[in-house]
Amino acid sequence: MRTNATGRVLHDPKGGSFRFDAGALCLDFAHTGGEGQYAIFETLHEPADLGEWLAQPPLAAVMTVPVTAHELTTAKTLRQAIWDAAHARAERRPLHAGTVAIINRIAAAAPLIPALAADATTAGWAPPVRATQALSTLAREMIELLSGPLSERIRECASDNCPLVFVDTSRPGARRWCAMERCGNRHKLRALRARQATVS
């Protein structure tokens, strides 16, 4: 069952990893790979990879019906639409009509249905649990994000060469970096070196 916690560990194909919290599960999903130049970051190679990602907290949607190749294709289509929509909003550009149509189409499927466990103190997802339902749930979350008060808080990392997008949920709304231990620290190091070069 979902909690409010988001974030995943991202791995760089060149080596290294870091924890990145996009502030919304749908945006975490957008960072599972991509097309073109982002294909090297792909993590959803097989239907089982999608099932494994969806089964992790906070969604914790353990599939009771095996993920199909068609659902994997749909997942990648949704992922690209979420990516495109987030970047458009971060750059204050209008969303492409096709992007909106994809998100709406996938959201139109039945979502995951919460169910109270027999002990009446915990909850999970009512079976059968299918990937199509989980994708609908992610698409609906993206709709809520784009149409809600946090829409203006969607940001792209301030680093010149980092395309990661996130929701700035900080109270002052001053988050600039995908992660301080990655781009934030790199920026600090470059600024320090620039100051030292100026002094010397």
Side-chain angles (χ1 to χ4, degrees), residues 5-24:
T6 54
R8 297 290 172 106
V9 174
L10 299 186
H11 301 280
D12 190 327
K14 298 176 182 176
S17 60
F18 68 102
R19 181 166 179 78
F20 171 60
D21 185 354

Side-chain angles (χ1 to χ4, degrees), residues 46-55 61-75 127-135:
E46 304 290 338
D49 297 331
L50 175 60
E52 184 178 336
W53 194 93
L54 296 171
V62 178
M63 300 296 109
T64 62
V65 178
V67 180
T68 66
H70 176 71
E71 286 172 325
L72 178 60
T73 299
T74 301
V129 179
R130 296 183 171 90
T132 299
Q133 294 172 284
L135 296 175

Side-chain angles (χ1 to χ4, degrees), residues 65-133:
V65 178
V67 180
T68 66
H70 176 71
E71 286 172 325
L72 178 60
T73 299
T74 301
K76 291 182 178 182
T77 299
L78 174 63
R79 179 179 69 186
Q80 188 63 44
I82 292 172
W83 175 271
D84 292 343
H87 279 275
R89 190 53 52 88
E91 296 164 10
R92 304 301 177 251
R93 293 185 286 107
L95 272 64
H96 189 277
T99 298
V100 173
I102 288 168
I103 294 171
N104 284 339
R105 174 173 56 80
I106 295 173
L112 293 168
I113 301 170
L116 197 59
D119 64 5
T121 62
T122 58
W125 301 115
V129 179
R130 296 183 171 90
T132 299
Q133 294 172 284

Side-chain angles (χ1 to χ4, degrees), residues 1 28 38 47 60 68 86 89 99 106 111 116 119 128 133 136 145 148 151 164 172 179-180 196:
M1 186 69 183
D28 283 334
Y38 301 119
T68 66
R89 190 53 52 88
T99 298
I106 295 173
L116 197 59
D119 64 5
Q133 294 172 284
S136 174
L145 177 60
S151 176
L164 299 184
M180 275 308 299
Q196 290 172 338

Side-chain angles (χ1 to χ4, degrees), residues 126-160:
V129 179
R130 296 183 171 90
T132 299
Q133 294 172 284
L135 296 175
S136 174
T137 297
L138 291 173
R140 290 171 186 227
E141 184 188 54
M142 188 61 180
I143 290 171
E144 291 175 11
L145 177 60
L146 290 169
S147 61
L150 291 177
S151 176
E152 298 302 312
R153 291 281 195 104
I154 298 175
R155 312 258 194 267
E156 184 176 325
C157 180
S159 176
D160 291 339

Side-chain angles (χ1 to χ4, degrees), residues 1 9 36 40 53 67 70 75 89 94 96 100 117 128 156 162 164 167-169 171-172 177 182 188 191-192 197 199:
M1 186 69 183
V9 174
I40 59 171
W53 194 93
V67 180
H70 176 71
R89 190 53 52 88
H96 189 277
V100 173
E156 184 176 325
C162 180
L164 299 184
V167 182
D168 181 2
T169 56
R171 184 166 293 179
W177 314 108
R182 186 173 184 260
K188 284 184 177 180
L192 176 61
V199 172

